[in-house]
Amino acid sequence: MAKRLIGSPSFCYAQHVSFLGGEGSVKSLKYEAKTWLYIIEMTPGPEPDFGRVGGETTVLLSEADLYAT
């Protein structure tokens, strides 16, 4: 049986990245289903007049969906 090596991730913790629909920073990453998955906390936009209602948005994206900025 051949052993497969896991490649290192392209992005690291706290790195600023962009993707279709926004940008943010890497909060977590893990290797699953033969690809690296990243939890990205989106960069907040300007604060609305009524203030912030809750926490910022986080998204789960694969490595193929991300670009370094």
Side-chain angles (χ1 to χ4, degrees), residues 41-61:
E41 183 177 330
M42 293 180 69
T43 305
E47 185 169 341
D49 295 336
F50 53 84
R52 298 271 184 226
V53 176
E56 298 305 320
T57 302
T58 58
V59 292
L60 176 66
L61 297 169

Side-chain angles (χ1 to χ4, degrees), residues 1-2 8-9 16-18 22 27 49-50 58 60-61 63-64 66:
M1 179 174 5
S8 60
H16 196 75
V17 295
S18 64
K27 293 298 173 193
D49 295 336
F50 53 84
T58 58
L60 176 66
L61 297 169
E63 193 167 72
L66 300 173

Side-chain angles (χ1 to χ4, degrees), residues 12-51:
C12 60
Y13 293 103
Q15 183 175 355
H16 196 75
V17 295
S18 64
F19 51 91
L20 184 62
E23 58 184 35
S25 59
V26 176
K27 293 298 173 193
S28 177
L29 59 112
K30 77 176 192 176
Y31 188 78
E32 185 175 301
K34 300 181 184 178
T35 188
W36 284 98
L37 297 175
Y38 297 83
I39 294 179
I40 308 297
E41 183 177 330
M42 293 180 69
T43 305
E47 185 169 341
D49 295 336
F50 53 84

